[in-house]
Amino acid sequence: MKWLKPKGTTPETPKGERPLWFTRSLLTSALRAGGCVVCAALAVSERRFLHSFLYEGMMSAMVRQKFLDGGGFCLRHFWMAKEIEDECWPTGGIGMAILCEDLVRQVQVQMSQREASDSRKRSREPRSPRLGRDCMFCVDLRQKEESLIEALEEISEEPSFARRFTADRFCARHGELAGERWHRVTRRNWASELVQCHLAELAGDLREFIRKHDYQHRHEQPGREHDVVLRAIAFLIGPKPTIQREKS
Ligand SMILES: [Zn+2]
Ligand SMILES: [Zn+2]
């Protein structure tokens, strides 16, 4: 929606292959965000890609076709795109309306084709909804995750980066991916030690949280364990999926 100037954001044009400096800058900024660095970097990247698509990508026939071929947005990215549109085009955007129109038409065509096909064959085949099945934003996210994990092996060796990379900077998934993908055993051991250390910390805090909920200990002041449930969920499955606004 290039014709409507968005509020306070800089669009990013998708460029395919990113140079290492771009990944480095993304990971370095993610260190400031707290939590898993890969999750934080992906959240920024995900938002930029959605914003860029709404801002100008969707106006390209080729990009729009790719979007439709993937069945449009998945559940997560549909609602994220709507939130980004509401946030960036407060006077009203029509990008989502245009995309919904395309998708509604696509569903109409698919339904007509199904109606026209042999009814006996239809009854034997499970109906798989096409919508969001190959969401291009999910595909992009998986590719970026791979390149971030790969770059992290190199960047995490730099003393200035490693110093700030505390035990809680890996979630379970990305700690595991580092263990699978990284080439050097010293780096894999480093990642494993961090995850083990984080696990021990979470286990201790959860024990303390549960202990303090016993009626005999409820008078005790809450300590560092007060937010452990949120930290444990973020470690186990990743951060809460909300729009990550970029910090300037
Ligand atoms: Zn993560
Ligand atoms: Zn998606």
Side-chain angles (χ1 to χ4, degrees):
M1 291 182 293
K2 217 167 180 172
W3 56 88
L4 286 173
K5 188 164 170 49
K7 193 179 66 173
T9 50
T10 310
E12 182 211 42
T13 307
K15 296 177 183 69
E17 206 60 27
R18 297 271 172 208
L20 181 62
W21 66 261
F22 180 84
T23 311
R24 177 190 300 274
S25 131
L26 200 58
L27 286 167
T28 308
S29 312
L31 263 183
R32 292 195 290 269
C36 171
V37 286
V38 181
C39 285
L42 283 174
V44 170
S45 192
E46 182 180 37
R47 181 200 151 84
R48 283 183 185 171
F49 188 26
L50 277 164
H51 182 275
S52 160
F53 175 71
L54 292 173
Y55 183 76
E56 59 184 350
M58 61 171 278
M59 299 315 292
S60 147
M62 203 176 73
V63 176
R64 183 99 67 94
Q65 193 53 52
K66 188 179 168 194
F67 168 77
L68 292 173
D69 289 346
F73 297 110
C74 66
L75 174 68
R76 171 187 174 89
H77 290 125
F78 221 139
W79 288 111
M80 277 188 79
K82 180 72 181 97
E83 277 184 62
I84 288 171
E85 183 180 70
D86 292 346
E87 180 205 323
C88 297
W89 289 272
T91 53
I94 59 160
M96 291 303 286
I98 293 170
L99 296 172
C100 284
E101 187 186 35
D102 278 349
L103 291 168
V104 165
R105 196 180 302 121
Q106 195 177 54
V107 173
Q108 280 176 324
V109 170
Q110 284 166 0
M111 281 193 77
S112 312
Q113 286 169 345
R114 260 194 227 119
E115 295 301 324
S117 70
D118 172 48
S119 59
R120 281 190 301 121
K121 189 180 165 203
R122 268 192 292 135
S123 62
R124 287 200 303 273
E125 286 177 357
R127 288 187 180 187
S128 56
R130 285 258 312 119
L131 282 173
R133 197 176 58 187
D134 299 311
C135 167
M136 68 180 205
F137 301 92
C138 286
V139 173
D140 181 73
L141 217 50
R142 285 194 289 275
Q143 289 167 348
K144 286 201 176 113
E145 183 179 53
E146 290 290 335
S147 64
L148 282 168
I149 287 285
E150 197 180 308
L152 193 56
E153 179 174 13
E154 186 184 322
I155 295 169
S156 66
E157 271 196 309
E158 296 170 10
S160 61
F161 191 90
R163 250 196 320 275
R164 291 186 288 157
F165 203 103
T166 45
D168 58 346
R169 308 324 295 269
F170 270 130
C171 67
R173 173 179 172 77
H174 293 130
E176 200 179 322
L177 270 181
E180 283 172 11
R181 302 284 199 281
W182 286 3
H183 302 288
R184 278 159 290 166
V185 71
T186 50
R187 301 318 298 154
R188 290 203 298 272
N189 288 344
W190 176 77
S192 170
E193 276 168 29
L194 284 179
V195 175
Q196 293 289 354
C197 183
H198 192 194
L199 279 167
E201 194 175 272
L202 286 173
D205 287 349
L206 284 165
R207 216 165 27 244
E208 181 67 354
F209 185 93
I210 293 163
R211 186 189 72 80
K212 282 189 180 168
H213 273 64
D214 186 288
Y215 76 97
Q216 294 180 64
H217 305 289
R218 277 190 190 160
H219 61 280
E220 292 181 30
Q221 287 296 309
R224 51 161 289 136
E225 79 293 341
H226 74 280
D227 63 349
V228 66
V229 175
L230 294 178
R231 284 188 282 122
I233 295 172
F235 171 78
L236 293 167
I237 203 70
K240 200 173 174 185
T242 50
I243 291 184
Q244 297 275 324
R245 289 176 196 191
E246 286 191 65
K247 296 183 179 84
S248 52

